[in-house]
Short mmCIF file of all heavy atoms in Angstrom, two decimals:
data_model
loop_
_atom_site.label_atom_id
_atom_site.label_comp_id
_atom_site.label_asym_id
_atom_site.label_seq_id
_atom_site.Cartn_x
_atom_site.Cartn_y
_atom_site.Cartn_z
N GLN H 162 0.32 1.86 -7.90
CA GLN H 162 -0.67 2.34 -6.95
C GLN H 162 -1.59 3.42 -7.46
O GLN H 162 -2.78 3.39 -7.24
CB GLN H 162 0.03 2.82 -5.68
CG GLN H 162 0.13 1.70 -4.66
CD GLN H 162 0.78 2.15 -3.41
OE1 GLN H 162 0.97 3.34 -3.20
NE2 GLN H 162 1.13 1.22 -2.56
N ARG H 176 -12.72 7.82 -4.14
CA ARG H 176 -12.37 7.11 -2.91
C ARG H 176 -11.82 8.06 -1.86
O ARG H 176 -12.00 7.83 -0.67
CB ARG H 176 -11.32 6.03 -3.22
CG ARG H 176 -11.91 4.81 -3.87
CD ARG H 176 -11.27 3.55 -3.29
NE ARG H 176 -11.92 2.37 -3.80
CZ ARG H 176 -11.46 1.64 -4.82
NH1 ARG H 176 -10.33 1.99 -5.40
NH2 ARG H 176 -12.10 0.58 -5.22
N LYS H 177 -11.12 9.11 -2.31
CA LYS H 177 -10.58 10.06 -1.34
C LYS H 177 -11.69 10.86 -0.68
O LYS H 177 -11.53 11.35 0.43
CB LYS H 177 -9.60 11.02 -2.01
CG LYS H 177 -8.28 10.37 -2.28
CD LYS H 177 -7.30 11.34 -2.86
CE LYS H 177 -6.09 10.57 -3.34
NZ LYS H 177 -5.03 11.44 -3.76
N ILE H 178 -12.78 11.02 -1.39
CA ILE H 178 -13.89 11.77 -0.82
C ILE H 178 -14.77 10.85 0.02
O ILE H 178 -15.05 11.13 1.18
CB ILE H 178 -14.73 12.44 -1.93
CG1 ILE H 178 -13.86 13.45 -2.68
CG2 ILE H 178 -15.95 13.13 -1.33
CD1 ILE H 178 -14.50 13.99 -3.94
N GLY H 180 -14.36 7.36 0.56
CA GLY H 180 -13.82 6.13 1.12
C GLY H 180 -14.41 4.96 0.37
O GLY H 180 -14.16 4.76 -0.81
N LYS H 185 -23.12 4.24 -2.85
CA LYS H 185 -23.09 5.53 -3.53
C LYS H 185 -23.78 5.44 -4.89
O LYS H 185 -23.80 4.40 -5.54
CB LYS H 185 -21.65 5.99 -3.73
CG LYS H 185 -20.86 6.13 -2.43
CD LYS H 185 -21.37 7.28 -1.57
CE LYS H 185 -20.61 7.42 -0.28
NZ LYS H 185 -21.44 7.15 0.90
N ASN H 273 -25.68 19.02 2.92
CA ASN H 273 -24.23 19.19 2.95
C ASN H 273 -23.41 17.92 2.77
O ASN H 273 -22.21 17.93 2.99
CB ASN H 273 -23.78 19.88 4.23
CG ASN H 273 -24.22 21.32 4.27
OD1 ASN H 273 -24.33 21.96 3.23
ND2 ASN H 273 -24.50 21.82 5.46
N ASN H 292 -16.61 24.51 -7.81
CA ASN H 292 -15.58 23.96 -6.92
C ASN H 292 -15.40 24.80 -5.65
O ASN H 292 -14.85 24.34 -4.66
CB ASN H 292 -14.25 23.86 -7.67
CG ASN H 292 -13.25 22.98 -6.94
OD1 ASN H 292 -13.60 21.90 -6.47
ND2 ASN H 292 -12.01 23.45 -6.82
N ILE H 294 -17.77 25.86 -3.81
CA ILE H 294 -18.81 25.55 -2.82
C ILE H 294 -18.30 24.50 -1.85
O ILE H 294 -17.64 23.54 -2.25
CB ILE H 294 -20.09 25.03 -3.53
CG1 ILE H 294 -20.56 26.02 -4.58
CG2 ILE H 294 -21.18 24.75 -2.52
CD1 ILE H 294 -21.64 25.47 -5.48
N ASP H 295 -18.62 24.70 -0.58
CA ASP H 295 -18.25 23.73 0.44
C ASP H 295 -18.88 22.38 0.13
O ASP H 295 -20.05 22.31 -0.24
CB ASP H 295 -18.78 24.21 1.80
CG ASP H 295 -17.65 24.45 2.75
OD1 ASP H 295 -16.49 24.34 2.32
OD2 ASP H 295 -17.92 24.76 3.93
N ASN H 296 -18.12 21.33 0.29
CA ASN H 296 -18.59 19.96 0.11
C ASN H 296 -18.90 19.59 -1.34
O ASN H 296 -19.44 18.52 -1.60
CB ASN H 296 -19.82 19.66 0.98
CG ASN H 296 -19.50 19.81 2.45
OD1 ASN H 296 -18.51 19.26 2.93
ND2 ASN H 296 -20.30 20.59 3.15
N ALA H 297 -18.57 20.50 -2.29
CA ALA H 297 -18.67 20.14 -3.70
C ALA H 297 -17.24 20.04 -4.24
O ALA H 297 -16.41 20.90 -3.95
CB ALA H 297 -19.45 21.19 -4.48
N PHE H 298 -16.97 19.01 -4.99
CA PHE H 298 -15.63 18.83 -5.55
C PHE H 298 -15.78 18.65 -7.05
O PHE H 298 -16.49 17.76 -7.50
CB PHE H 298 -14.94 17.62 -4.93
CG PHE H 298 -14.76 17.77 -3.45
CD1 PHE H 298 -15.76 17.36 -2.57
CD2 PHE H 298 -13.62 18.37 -2.93
CE1 PHE H 298 -15.61 17.53 -1.20
CE2 PHE H 298 -13.47 18.54 -1.56
CZ PHE H 298 -14.46 18.12 -0.70
N LEU H 299 -15.14 19.55 -7.79
CA LEU H 299 -15.31 19.52 -9.24
C LEU H 299 -13.97 19.27 -9.93
O LEU H 299 -12.99 19.97 -9.67
CB LEU H 299 -15.90 20.85 -9.73
CG LEU H 299 -15.82 21.12 -11.23
CD1 LEU H 299 -16.63 20.11 -12.01
CD2 LEU H 299 -16.28 22.54 -11.56
N TYR H 300 -13.92 18.27 -10.76
CA TYR H 300 -12.73 18.00 -11.57
C TYR H 300 -13.13 17.99 -13.03
O TYR H 300 -14.03 17.24 -13.42
CB TYR H 300 -12.11 16.65 -11.19
CG TYR H 300 -11.19 16.75 -9.99
CD1 TYR H 300 -11.70 16.98 -8.71
CD2 TYR H 300 -9.81 16.64 -10.14
CE1 TYR H 300 -10.87 17.10 -7.62
CE2 TYR H 300 -8.97 16.75 -9.05
CZ TYR H 300 -9.50 16.98 -7.80
OH TYR H 300 -8.67 17.10 -6.72
N ASP H 304 -8.09 18.86 -15.07
CA ASP H 304 -7.72 18.55 -13.69
C ASP H 304 -7.36 17.08 -13.56
O ASP H 304 -6.39 16.72 -12.90
CB ASP H 304 -8.89 18.86 -12.75
CG ASP H 304 -9.28 20.32 -12.79
OD1 ASP H 304 -8.40 21.15 -13.07
OD2 ASP H 304 -10.47 20.63 -12.55
N GLN H 307 -4.08 16.42 -15.00
CA GLN H 307 -3.02 16.90 -14.11
C GLN H 307 -2.72 15.88 -13.01
O GLN H 307 -1.57 15.63 -12.66
CB GLN H 307 -3.53 18.21 -13.48
CG GLN H 307 -2.48 19.04 -12.82
CD GLN H 307 -3.10 20.32 -12.28
OE1 GLN H 307 -3.89 20.98 -12.96
NE2 GLN H 307 -2.79 20.66 -11.06
N GLU H 315 5.25 10.10 -10.23
CA GLU H 315 5.44 9.31 -9.01
C GLU H 315 5.83 7.87 -9.37
O GLU H 315 6.72 7.28 -8.78
CB GLU H 315 4.14 9.34 -8.21
CG GLU H 315 4.26 8.88 -6.79
CD GLU H 315 5.22 9.75 -6.00
OE1 GLU H 315 5.22 11.00 -6.19
OE2 GLU H 315 5.99 9.18 -5.23
N TYR J 163 -9.02 16.00 7.94
CA TYR J 163 -10.06 16.39 6.99
C TYR J 163 -9.62 17.61 6.20
O TYR J 163 -9.71 17.64 4.97
CB TYR J 163 -11.37 16.69 7.73
CG TYR J 163 -12.48 17.05 6.77
CD1 TYR J 163 -13.38 16.10 6.34
CD2 TYR J 163 -12.61 18.35 6.27
CE1 TYR J 163 -14.38 16.40 5.43
CE2 TYR J 163 -13.60 18.67 5.36
CZ TYR J 163 -14.48 17.70 4.95
OH TYR J 163 -15.45 18.00 4.04
N GLN J 166 -6.79 16.87 3.67
CA GLN J 166 -7.31 16.12 2.52
C GLN J 166 -8.21 17.01 1.66
O GLN J 166 -8.14 16.99 0.44
CB GLN J 166 -8.08 14.89 3.04
CG GLN J 166 -8.66 14.01 1.97
CD GLN J 166 -7.61 13.13 1.30
OE1 GLN J 166 -6.83 13.60 0.49
NE2 GLN J 166 -7.59 11.86 1.64
N GLU J 167 -9.04 17.80 2.32
CA GLU J 167 -9.96 18.65 1.57
C GLU J 167 -9.22 19.68 0.74
O GLU J 167 -9.53 19.91 -0.42
CB GLU J 167 -10.94 19.34 2.52
CG GLU J 167 -12.16 19.86 1.82
CD GLU J 167 -12.41 21.32 2.03
OE1 GLU J 167 -11.47 22.08 2.31
OE2 GLU J 167 -13.56 21.73 1.91
N LEU J 170 -7.73 18.08 -2.27
CA LEU J 170 -8.73 17.78 -3.30
C LEU J 170 -9.20 19.03 -4.01
O LEU J 170 -9.35 19.06 -5.23
CB LEU J 170 -9.92 17.06 -2.68
CG LEU J 170 -9.72 15.57 -2.43
CD1 LEU J 170 -10.79 15.03 -1.49
CD2 LEU J 170 -9.74 14.80 -3.74
N LYS J 171 -9.43 20.08 -3.24
CA LYS J 171 -9.93 21.33 -3.85
C LYS J 171 -8.87 21.97 -4.72
O LYS J 171 -9.18 22.58 -5.74
CB LYS J 171 -10.33 22.31 -2.74
CG LYS J 171 -11.67 21.97 -2.09
CD LYS J 171 -12.82 22.67 -2.78
CE LYS J 171 -14.10 22.42 -2.00
NZ LYS J 171 -15.28 22.85 -2.74
N LYS J 173 -6.79 20.50 -6.46
CA LYS J 173 -6.56 19.61 -7.60
C LYS J 173 -5.13 19.09 -7.65
O LYS J 173 -4.63 18.73 -8.70
CB LYS J 173 -6.88 20.32 -8.93
CG LYS J 173 -8.08 21.24 -8.87
CD LYS J 173 -9.30 20.59 -9.47
CE LYS J 173 -10.56 21.34 -9.19
NZ LYS J 173 -11.05 22.12 -10.30
N HIS J 174 -4.45 19.11 -6.52
CA HIS J 174 -3.12 18.51 -6.46
C HIS J 174 -3.07 17.40 -5.42
O HIS J 174 -2.31 17.48 -4.48
CB HIS J 174 -2.05 19.55 -6.11
CG HIS J 174 -1.81 20.53 -7.19
ND1 HIS J 174 -1.09 20.22 -8.32
CD2 HIS J 174 -2.20 21.82 -7.33
CE1 HIS J 174 -1.04 21.28 -9.11
NE2 HIS J 174 -1.72 22.27 -8.54
N PRO J 175 -3.90 16.41 -5.55
CA PRO J 175 -3.88 15.38 -4.52
C PRO J 175 -2.67 14.46 -4.69
O PRO J 175 -2.75 13.43 -5.33
CB PRO J 175 -5.20 14.61 -4.75
CG PRO J 175 -5.56 14.88 -6.16
CD PRO J 175 -4.82 16.09 -6.64
N ARG J 177 0.47 11.89 -3.80
CA ARG J 177 0.30 10.53 -3.32
C ARG J 177 0.27 10.41 -1.81
O ARG J 177 -0.39 9.54 -1.26
CB ARG J 177 1.39 9.63 -3.89
CG ARG J 177 0.81 8.34 -4.42
CD ARG J 177 1.90 7.38 -4.82
NE ARG J 177 2.03 6.35 -3.85
CZ ARG J 177 3.16 6.02 -3.27
NH1 ARG J 177 4.26 6.64 -3.58
NH2 ARG J 177 3.20 5.05 -2.41
N ASN J 180 -2.95 9.98 -0.26
CA ASN J 180 -3.65 8.69 -0.35
C ASN J 180 -3.65 8.01 0.99
O ASN J 180 -4.51 7.21 1.31
CB ASN J 180 -2.92 7.76 -1.33
CG ASN J 180 -3.24 8.11 -2.75
OD1 ASN J 180 -4.06 8.98 -2.99
ND2 ASN J 180 -2.59 7.44 -3.67
N SER J 184 -10.31 8.94 3.85
CA SER J 184 -11.18 9.74 3.00
C SER J 184 -11.91 10.78 3.84
O SER J 184 -12.01 10.66 5.06
CB SER J 184 -12.20 8.84 2.31
OG SER J 184 -13.09 8.32 3.27
N LEU J 185 -12.43 11.79 3.15
CA LEU J 185 -13.14 12.87 3.83
C LEU J 185 -14.28 12.31 4.68
O LEU J 185 -14.49 12.72 5.82
CB LEU J 185 -13.71 13.84 2.80
CG LEU J 185 -12.69 14.65 2.01
CD1 LEU J 185 -13.41 15.58 1.04
CD2 LEU J 185 -11.82 15.44 2.94
N GLU J 186 -15.01 11.37 4.11
CA GLU J 186 -16.17 10.84 4.82
C GLU J 186 -15.75 10.18 6.14
O GLU J 186 -16.39 10.36 7.17
CB GLU J 186 -16.90 9.84 3.92
CG GLU J 186 -18.35 9.68 4.33
CD GLU J 186 -19.23 9.37 3.12
OE1 GLU J 186 -19.66 10.32 2.44
OE2 GLU J 186 -19.46 8.19 2.87
N ALA J 247 -28.18 22.54 11.76
CA ALA J 247 -27.91 23.20 10.48
C ALA J 247 -27.25 22.24 9.50
O ALA J 247 -26.94 22.63 8.38
CB ALA J 247 -27.02 24.42 10.72
N GLY J 248 -27.02 21.00 9.90
CA GLY J 248 -26.42 20.02 8.98
C GLY J 248 -24.99 20.35 8.61
O GLY J 248 -24.52 19.99 7.55
N ARG J 250 -21.15 19.96 8.29
CA ARG J 250 -20.22 18.85 8.29
C ARG J 250 -18.97 19.32 7.58
O ARG J 250 -18.92 20.43 7.07
CB ARG J 250 -20.80 17.62 7.61
CG ARG J 250 -21.52 17.91 6.31
CD ARG J 250 -21.67 16.67 5.48
NE ARG J 250 -22.69 15.77 5.97
CZ ARG J 250 -22.49 14.46 6.09
NH1 ARG J 250 -21.34 13.94 5.83
NH2 ARG J 250 -23.46 13.68 6.47
N ARG J 252 -15.74 20.95 6.39
CA ARG J 252 -14.78 22.01 6.67
C ARG J 252 -15.19 22.89 7.85
O ARG J 252 -14.41 23.09 8.77
CB ARG J 252 -14.59 22.87 5.42
CG ARG J 252 -13.38 23.73 5.44
CD ARG J 252 -13.09 24.23 4.05
NE ARG J 252 -14.22 24.97 3.52
CZ ARG J 252 -14.34 26.30 3.62
NH1 ARG J 252 -13.40 27.00 4.21
NH2 ARG J 252 -15.39 26.91 3.12
N LYS J 253 -16.42 23.40 7.82
CA LYS J 253 -16.84 24.32 8.88
C LYS J 253 -16.80 23.61 10.22
O LYS J 253 -16.32 24.16 11.22
CB LYS J 253 -18.26 24.82 8.59
CG LYS J 253 -18.32 25.85 7.49
CD LYS J 253 -19.75 26.32 7.32
CE LYS J 253 -19.96 27.12 6.07
NZ LYS J 253 -21.35 27.14 5.65
#
Side-chain angles (χ1 to χ4, degrees):
Chain H
Q162 268 181 12
R176 283 221 174 98
K177 284 183 191 187
I178 297 170
K185 301 291 180 245
N273 291 329
N292 195 45
I294 305 170
D295 242 5
N296 299 310
F298 299 88
L299 166 64
Y300 276 71
D304 299 332
Q307 195 178 315
E315 195 61 40
Chain J
Y163 182 95
Q166 181 76 285
E167 198 235 25
L170 280 165
K171 284 268 186 191
K173 323 259 169 103
H174 290 284
R177 226 187 104 232
N180 281 355
S184 68
L185 292 180
E186 203 148 275
R250 45 161 75 227
R252 196 164 58 94
K253 285 182 192 158

